[in-house]
Amino acid sequence: MDNGRSVELLFRALLFAADRHASQTRKGVTEIPYINHCIQVAEYLARVAGIDDVEILAAALLHDTVEDTGTTPEELEREFGSGICGIVMELSDDKRLPKQRRKQLQIEHAPQRSSGAVQIKLADKLANVIDVVDDPPRDWPLQRRIEYLDWTERVVDSLPRPNPQLLELYRRTLQAGRRKLNA
Ligand code: ZN
């Protein structure tokens, strides 16, 4: 893809995600706009993992649109093509299943994920660990936050070929987070 089209695709994905998440905030007390999370995940991929594949970066911006905004796979495929749609679908839990089952499936499905989906999943867990340590949902007791960190570690441990720099940052962040929570 030439440079102009890459930039265009990235901005189109960013605008689409911002539009779909427009009325949503993160679960933390500070109620950060949801789109900040999507941008953060893409930014980790570019800055920490050195990823410059625009399909992966666009999929990172869009990674929660199906799971959290009711965007359909058909829409994503029409707007962004089957490559990006496929990555987002790899990262979308089936919300018809009970929460515990969905969490278990993230671990069971991890080994089959494509490389792009693996790096997005890792950056997503890194961002979520930071949120749960520094800006947790109001109603989460300490124990739930600690268990969440433990679960992200099980998901990350099951990912095939994670980017080494991103993995290193995740591990350091997890360790610091556990210290902060006295876990
Ligand atoms: Zn996410």
Side-chain angles (χ1 to χ4, degrees), residues 26 34 37-38 41 60 63-64 68 120 124-125 127-128:
R26 295 290 282 170
Y34 199 95
H37 165 73
C38 313
V41 168
H63 78 274
D64 281 328
D68 291 334
I120 295 171
D124 188 36
K125 291 294 177 265
N128 288 346

